[in-house]
Amino acid sequence: MASLEGRDRIVRFSLATWNINSVRLRIDLVSRFLTEQAPDVLCLQETKCRDSEFPLSAFHKLGYPHVAICGQKGYHGVAIASKIPFLENGRRDFCAKGDARHLTVTLAPLPERPITLHNFYVPAGGDEPDPAINPKFAHKLAFLDEMAEWMQTDKIAERDAIIVGDLNIAPLETDVWNHKALLKVVSHTPIEVEKLGRVLAAGPWVDALRHHIAPEEKLYTWWSYRSPDWAKANKGRRLDHIWVSESLKRHLDGLAIFRESRGWERPSDHVPVLVHLNLAG
DNA sequence: ATGGTGGTCCTACCA
């Protein structure tokens, strides 16, 4: 294959994000998704295991030799598996709690054009949307504030960059099955939506899902386990996001919400979201 | 208005 500096040139590539809700329990679902869709990069959230317990060899066998892991026992945990090598990787401890909620790698599909990728698992925030009485909600709001400040001071979106992950907020009215019914439900309250909007504007970032799908259209990536017939009730929310820097906007080249995986046996309550980027031109 | 399900790991806690 033609290469510069000894590396392959990958002009068109795809990137997926999926809250897997235990990577060990659902490694067969991951395998099925990677076999069927073959994204170049897969970002996972809620891996729920220590780094030493991560099913690395399964990813290697599936053709993903490059894996970055940031895990902890039982909760949270993020990982990035890739066919494309990482030039560097790192993490940041948002809110200084020691939670495994962020992981970053630099990819170079074109050697002369590195792209920084950030994988996030934003705190869910508990049930009560009042930071004065619910420390989990206060943590979520503080996490969002720190994200906005960090991306401004570190100028994260001024280079080629992508943010993905379970941001645990459905910002638009069409990102939930019933806007009015969810105004006081954590994930769709006005204060969360406002703070997420500030994070988006702090890049500024382009919301890749809404770049492809009009904001008037309903769009979900998560359906609760507590609904006996999730597909029929269709009470979903768009909690999973892919944002790209303005510099990458013109390279967005397709989107897929892998809804069918919600109907698989013992599914995650989130489905994979996948974007294509074409760096030609 | 309430409770509905499912993860980790063994006792509740988290989503």
Side-chain angles (χ1 to χ4, degrees), chain A residues 144-158 163 194-206 243-246:
Chain A
L144 293 165
D145 286 343
E146 188 173 332
M147 280 178 79
E149 189 177 334
W150 158 75
M151 61 184 55
Q152 279 184 323
T153 54
D154 288 14
K155 305 187 190 308
I156 301 298
E158 288 183 21
I163 284 196
E194 186 206 325
K195 285 188 183 293
L196 189 72
R198 287 179 190 275
V199 179
L200 185 74
W205 301 93
V206 175
W243 297 350
V244 303
S245 56
E246 294 276 10

Side-chain angles (χ1 to χ4, degrees), chain A residues 7 10 21 28 31 33 36 40 42 62 73 80 105-106 119 157 194 205 225 244 248 258 280:
Chain A
R7 274 199 298 270
I10 302 166
N21 188 19
D28 291 344
S31 171
F33 173 67
E36 291 183 10
D40 293 286
L42 173 63
L62 288 158
K73 181 182 178 181
I80 303 173
V105 299
T106 303
N119 181 13
E194 186 206 325
W205 301 93
Y225 286 125
V244 303
L248 290 174
F258 206 61

Side-chain angles (χ1 to χ4, degrees), chain A residues 77-93:
Chain A
V78 285
I80 303 173
S82 176
K83 295 173 182 286
I84 307 170
F86 306 143
L87 299 187
E88 36 188 332
N89 68 77
R91 63 192 61 179
R92 177 180 162 117
D93 184 10

Side-chain angles (χ1 to χ4, degrees), chain A residues 13-266:
Chain A
F13 71 100
S14 58
L15 183 152
T17 179
W18 193 7
N19 178 321
I20 192 63
N21 188 19
S22 176
V23 69
R24 288 181 296 174
L25 188 70
R26 290 189 233 286
I27 189 62
D28 291 344
L29 303 191
V30 172
S31 171
R32 180 172 173 185
F33 173 67
L34 292 178
T35 303
E36 291 183 10
Q37 300 299 313
D40 293 286
V41 184
L42 173 63
C43 298
L44 295 169
Q45 303 87 35
E46 284 209 271
T47 51
K48 292 190 171 178
C49 62
R50 299 178 184 95
D51 292 359
S52 61
E53 298 162 332
F54 192 92
L56 252 191
S57 62
F59 286 86
H60 293 163
K61 284 176 192 159
L62 288 158
Y64 294 80
H66 314 288
V67 184
I69 312 166
C70 175
Q72 69 182 82
K73 181 182 178 181
Y75 302 104
H76 322 315
V78 285
I80 303 173
S82 176
K83 295 173 182 286
I84 307 170
F86 306 143
L87 299 187
E88 36 188 332
N89 68 77
R91 63 192 61 179
R92 177 180 162 117
D93 184 10
F94 286 83
C95 297
K97 290 169 69 78
D99 285 353
R101 296 183 180 276
H102 172 254
L103 184 58
T104 180
V105 299
T106 303
L107 305 163
L110 300 181
E112 72 277 16
R113 191 166 185 187
I115 298 174
T116 310
L117 170 64
H118 295 277
N119 181 13
F120 276 95
Y121 176 53
V122 170
D127 290 331
E128 184 57 54
D130 180 353
I133 60 172
N134 175 7
K136 290 182 200 165
F137 195 68
H139 177 214
K140 184 178 197 174
L141 299 183
F143 195 101
L144 293 165
D145 286 343
E146 188 173 332
M147 280 178 79
E149 189 177 334
W150 158 75
M151 61 184 55
Q152 279 184 323
T153 54
D154 288 14
K155 305 187 190 308
I156 301 298
E158 288 183 21
R159 63 199 88 134
D160 291 319
I162 304 173
I163 284 196
V164 308
D166 177 4
L167 304 186
N168 264 316
I169 297 170
L172 305 186
E173 295 190 11
T174 48
D175 291 336
V176 294
W177 65 278
N178 185 326
H179 168 62
K180 283 189 179 173
L182 288 172
L183 276 170
K184 292 180 177 175
V185 174
V186 171
S187 73
H188 193 61
T189 65
I191 188 165
E192 294 168 84
V193 170
E194 186 206 325
K195 285 188 183 293
L196 189 72
R198 287 179 190 275
V199 179
L200 185 74
W205 301 93
V206 175
D207 178 340
L209 277 68
R210 287 306 184 182
H211 174 82
H212 287 98
I213 297 174
E216 294 78 23
E217 279 188 51
K218 294 278 193 187
L219 184 58
Y220 313 138
T221 65
W222 173 89
W223 292 262
S224 172
Y225 286 125
R226 297 176 190 179
S227 184
D229 190 346
W230 72 275
K232 189 180 174 196
N234 198 26
K235 294 182 173 181
R237 305 178 202 170
R238 182 170 73 110
L239 303 179
D240 302 277
H241 298 262
I242 299 178
W243 297 350
V244 303
S245 56
E246 294 276 10
S247 59
L248 290 174
K249 179 179 179 179
R250 71 190 187 92
H251 298 294
L252 286 170
D253 194 31
L255 168 75
I257 312 287
F258 206 61
R259 191 178 194 269
E260 68 176 74
S261 72
R262 185 62 179 79
W264 289 351
E265 192 176 343
R266 287 251 261 170

